[in-house]
Amino acid sequence: MPPELVRDALAEDATGATATDAPAKPDAPALQDAPAQQDASAQSADPAGAVPAHPSASELRALEAGLDRLQTAPAEREPWWRRAARGVLPPIVLLVVLVVVWQAYTVIAQPRPDLYPGPLDVLASIGSAWESGRLQLAVGTSLERGVVGFLIATAIGTPLGLLLAESRPLQRAFGPFVSGLQVLPSVAWVPAAIIWFGLSDATVYFVILMGAVPSIVNGLVAGVRQVPPQLRRVGRVLGANRAELAALVVLPAALPGYLAGLKQGWAFSWRSLMAAEIIATGGSIGFGLGALLDQGRQLADLSSVFVAILAILFIGILVELAVFAPLERALLRRRGLLPAGGAR
């Protein structure tokens, strides 16, 4: 939706509210000219005629971006290689510095290799786990579980969060329980899940859902609370009903808070998955990174433990940089809060 249409709808809404709410003053000389002024305002706000009775879905979806674009100046696009260098070089440089410090410590202090392995020892363990296929199996199993569990949690948490955000009685009733579930460590659900579902994948997915759904719900509710009331009024002026207002105006406008809830939900689901895989081993549960981590503990092989920790950390960073960071930049750029070629 062009910013002019948003501005015109706001002007028409403000004109209607002023004409309705202003007290009558019979002795005011400007009273006789009020109808003419209102007609002129209506003509200036909508040059093509009356506002359409039923807006298109694209107009309502673009409504949340219009207000921010009204006060954002366009910027020159930055070359892609400069944006990539700005995003990739700092973590790589930090990683190299940490590895150099780690190696220097092992060379100077010469600690016991079984208690304080060096980078070369961990690298040798990575090569051994890769050649045996254990590392690929563990990464593939855990990543598949994490992604599937997170998608299920998103499918459950999104409509639930929107329902709680739009219904104050439901929010007062269920809001404290959802917040309580969010602060409850998801590892506490593992014993109950094992009793209910046995040593199966259902146990892992249940723990993931209990860790991720409350974060997604709370993030969406917080995002809806931050939606400017002008957007709802403009949506009503454009003719949107309650369902269209919630799905096409409120939800897109709440995307910053919703995306923050999704990021936190992924973090909780990944942590919950690791806790479930470490505790629930055997049965029909496959070999994941949590099982690889527990296997290194049982064998007192600290290098293998570091391999699992680094793999868990690497996947978390990769998902953040490859999935959520581009989504956040695209969202801010669409709303006019980030230059067209800029980076955060």
Side-chain angles (χ1 to χ4, degrees), residues 20 50 73 124 304:
T20 303
S304 297

Short mmCIF file of all heavy atoms in Angstrom, two decimals, residues 20 50 73 124 304:
data_model
loop_
_atom_site.label_atom_id
_atom_site.label_comp_id
_atom_site.label_asym_id
_atom_site.label_seq_id
_atom_site.Cartn_x
_atom_site.Cartn_y
_atom_site.Cartn_z
N THR A 20 -17.35 13.93 14.77
CA THR A 20 -18.30 13.23 15.64
C THR A 20 -18.17 13.67 17.07
O THR A 20 -19.17 13.83 17.79
CB THR A 20 -18.06 11.72 15.54
OG1 THR A 20 -18.19 11.34 14.17
CG2 THR A 20 -19.09 10.96 16.37
N ALA A 50 -14.78 7.81 -2.93
CA ALA A 50 -14.96 7.21 -1.62
C ALA A 50 -13.97 6.08 -1.40
O ALA A 50 -13.49 5.45 -2.33
CB ALA A 50 -16.39 6.68 -1.48
N ALA A 73 13.65 7.95 5.02
CA ALA A 73 14.22 8.41 3.75
C ALA A 73 14.92 7.26 3.05
O ALA A 73 15.56 6.42 3.70
CB ALA A 73 15.21 9.56 4.00
N ALA A 124 41.43 -33.86 15.94
CA ALA A 124 41.61 -35.28 15.66
C ALA A 124 40.35 -36.07 16.01
O ALA A 124 39.96 -37.00 15.29
CB ALA A 124 42.81 -35.82 16.45
N SER A 304 35.81 -35.96 22.72
CA SER A 304 34.51 -36.26 22.10
C SER A 304 33.41 -35.37 22.67
O SER A 304 32.49 -34.97 21.96
CB SER A 304 34.17 -37.73 22.31
OG SER A 304 35.11 -38.57 21.67
#
